[in-house]
Amino acid sequence: MQDIYSDPTFQMACDQFELVAEYLEVPHDLHDQLMYPKRSIVVSVPVRMDDGSTRLFQGYRVQHTLSMGPTKGGTRFGPTVTIGEVAALAMWMSWKCALAGLPYGGAKGGVYVDPRSLSGNELERLSRRYMQEMIPFIGPHIDIMGPDMGTNEQVMAWFMDTYSAYAGHSVPEIVTGKPVSLGGIHGRREATGRGIVYLVERAANLLKLKLSDGTAVIQGFGNVGGVTAHGLAYKNGMKIIGISDISGAYYNDNGIDIRAAANHAVTNGDLKGFAGAEPIPLENLLTLPCDVLVPAAVSGVITRENAGKIRCRLLAEGANGPTTVEAAKILFERWNELFVIPDILCNAGGVIVSYFEWIQSLQSFFWNETEVADRLFRALEQSFSAMIRRAKEEKIPHRLAALAIGVERVMKARKARGLFP
Ligand code: GLU
């Protein structure tokens, strides 16, 4: 194979897959078919800027597995986006959806852009043009987009409107994570964080760890990290001693007032200058002694260098791919002092509720927030128990157990369908 995906994040996803494939003894002829994306689309996205000039952005969409049904995954706007990163994220979506029992293959999309550098109007034009370029390749039964880093409900609304204008009627089922006023589901914005909090509670219960006396550190204060911090602090009475965002990391031994921090971030755009905590070097955040550590920002932050220094009882991976393959090995050697909830389980709440939203939009039958949360917890409970059971029975790390369940399900479907999909 030519290496068009060459990228450290894609390499990491492949290395991880290799370990699982070896463990499951995936037949040679299936190995590459399961690992490489089925389809990758690269588009040029010309956008008229506010000053009258035109800028060309590069946009991607990777549809990783077509054997399970339509593909599903978020769209990321970010300054690190490459086709390789998007391919890695799409691969992880395949295993994540399969572990959660959703009838989807994985996908992911992205645009190489710093969304903070665009005006509101420029962001709208970029979002609409990206969707326009993708129309030939997606559809409510082909590939359904959702939010990811750098995109939000408003971007999903522009996606949905652009697609609907092309179709000639409203097509809410083309995206998830849209505003409730357009057929979005109650609780989608909170879903990923809510799922993380549920799994932390579940694991703490298993470990007999009392959360109300405990401390937590959360990397990332966006949609995922922010909601998680809120749930751990106000639902479980935890002391959140460390948080971070794009402006840096912040620490307060007595616990950070999460509502005040969130208000500061909304008013000022980020946490810079927040008086309720003192700035600390970013690299010190993840090694702060605490009970629960939640990396909820970017991939590859827990590495060979810092994995041995992590001082938490419970690691809840809110981000996609926060732990490198070498770091995962080190964490597993510390299994009796460090309980890991791996990313493809830990952050699955987002895509699970996206699945509910897709069904809601297809059927025009609306659910309330309690129904959404109950079903979300039931879905996570099933995946969590399946992972724990498998890890115990086969004496393997949680991550390997979760990935093995996901990869095995995709492999089964693929074998049953044959070479065609
Ligand atoms: N971006 C989310 C994830 O990484 C979910 C995307 C979606 O809802 O489709 O899991």
Side-chain angles (χ1 to χ4, degrees):
M1 296 283 276
Q2 269 186 333
D3 206 1
I4 57 166
Y5 301 107
S6 165
D7 174 273
T9 315
F10 187 66
Q11 193 53 53
M12 183 177 143
C14 291
D15 291 347
Q16 196 184 57
F17 175 78
E18 299 284 356
L19 290 178
V20 189
E22 198 183 317
Y23 182 71
L24 293 176
E25 295 175 1
V26 172
H28 189 66
D29 59 341
L30 262 177
H31 178 284
D32 283 6
Q33 291 178 55
L34 286 172
M35 188 169 79
Y36 281 101
K38 181 67 186 173
R39 286 186 191 143
S40 295
I41 300 125
V42 182
V43 291
S44 291
V45 185
V47 175
R48 187 92 63 215
M49 307 304 279
D50 289 347
D51 65 5
S53 66
T54 302
R55 246 178 92 185
L56 195 66
F57 295 90
Q58 201 136 48
Y60 310 107
R61 185 82 186 161
V62 173
Q63 298 166 350
H64 179 258
T65 304
L66 304 190
S67 318
M68 310 294 285
T71 48
K72 180 82 190 86
T75 301
R76 176 173 286 201
F77 288 175
T80 62
V81 170
T82 64
I83 181 89
E85 184 190 63
V86 174
L89 291 160
M91 194 194 310
W92 285 324
M93 286 304 295
S94 286
W95 318 142
K96 190 189 306 189
C97 290
L99 173 65
L102 308 181
Y104 295 136
K108 205 76 166 199
V111 176
Y112 172 58
V113 59
D114 179 359
R116 284 162 62 103
S117 71
L118 301 180
S119 72
N121 285 332
E122 289 167 343
L123 184 65
E124 174 172 358
R125 290 194 287 269
L126 173 69
S127 304
R128 288 185 179 280
R129 188 61 195 253
Y130 170 78
M131 172 49 100
Q132 179 76 46
E133 298 295 339
M134 286 298 161
I135 286 175
F137 311 107
I138 64 166
H141 294 284
I142 301 170
D143 183 13
I144 305 114
M145 293 194 187
D148 197 80
M149 276 165 62
T151 58
N152 56 21
E153 288 180 10
Q154 180 57 69
V155 172
M156 296 306 115
W158 290 324
F159 281 176
M160 180 254 179
D161 184 64
T162 305
Y163 191 88
S164 299
Y166 142 83
H169 57 92
S170 288
V171 190
E173 59 271 29
I174 190 63
V175 294
T176 59
K178 54 197 174 284
V180 170
S181 60
L182 294 182
I185 200 161
H186 291 287
R188 171 61 186 87
R189 204 183 63 75
E190 295 80 6
T192 311
R194 225 172 237 172
I196 295 171
V197 173
Y198 175 83
L199 291 165
V200 167
E201 290 167 1
R202 190 63 182 73
N205 192 279
L206 212 63
L207 297 170
K208 306 206 176 359
L209 176 74
K210 206 162 155 236
L211 292 180
S212 58
D213 292 339
T215 52
V217 170
I218 297 160
Q219 182 187 43
F221 205 60
N223 187 21
V224 179
V227 173
T228 306
H230 197 277
L232 293 181
Y234 301 119
K235 188 164 169 248
N236 290 287
M238 294 196 84
K239 208 156 72 163
I240 315 294
I241 56 169
I243 55 175
S244 75
D245 72 356
I246 193 151
S247 70
Y250 304 86
Y251 173 73
N252 184 340
D253 196 27
N254 296 317
I256 296 167
D257 180 339
I258 293 300
R259 285 195 186 102
N263 284 340
H264 182 96
V266 169
T267 316
N268 300 283
D270 56 43
L271 288 167
K272 198 175 171 145
F274 174 57
E278 63 184 77
I280 55 165
L282 204 55
E283 61 274 18
N284 293 0
L285 185 82
L286 295 176
T287 52
L288 285 172
C290 61
D291 293 299
V292 178
L293 175 65
V294 187
V298 290
S299 62
V301 292
I302 301 181
T303 60
R304 188 188 327 172
E305 282 74 38
N306 65 6
K309 296 185 208 145
I310 296 226
R311 296 275 170 272
C312 63
R313 180 70 188 97
L314 222 165
L315 175 67
E317 296 183 345
N320 287 309
T323 304
T324 67
V325 173
E326 297 93 354
K329 278 187 200 142
I330 300 172
L331 296 183
F332 183 54
E333 283 160 17
R334 301 175 57 199
W335 68 271
N336 57 2
E337 54 175 12
L338 210 157
F339 187 101
V340 177
I341 310 174
D343 56 353
I344 63 161
L345 167 65
C346 195
N347 67 35
V351 73
I352 292 171
V353 174
S354 275
Y355 166 61
F356 300 157
E357 182 176 327
W358 179 64
I359 298 174
Q360 178 177 277
S361 293
L362 284 171
Q363 301 184 332
S364 303
F365 180 78
F366 285 79
W367 308 15
N368 66 38
E369 196 158 350
T370 316
E371 288 168 324
V372 174
D374 283 354
R375 279 192 179 245
L376 165 65
F377 297 154
R378 261 188 277 157
L380 288 173
E381 181 56 42
Q382 263 186 9
S383 309
F384 181 82
S385 332
M387 177 193 78
I388 295 288
R389 210 177 314 123
R390 181 123 183 195
K392 267 204 183 124
E393 278 171 15
E394 300 177 19
K395 297 191 176 45
I396 54 174
H398 291 164
R399 188 184 315 279
L400 181 56
L403 284 163
I405 297 169
V407 171
E408 222 165 50
R409 285 184 180 158
V410 175
M411 183 161 65
K412 247 192 193 152
R414 196 163 174 101
K415 269 190 189 157
R417 288 187 65 164
L419 202 58
F420 206 66

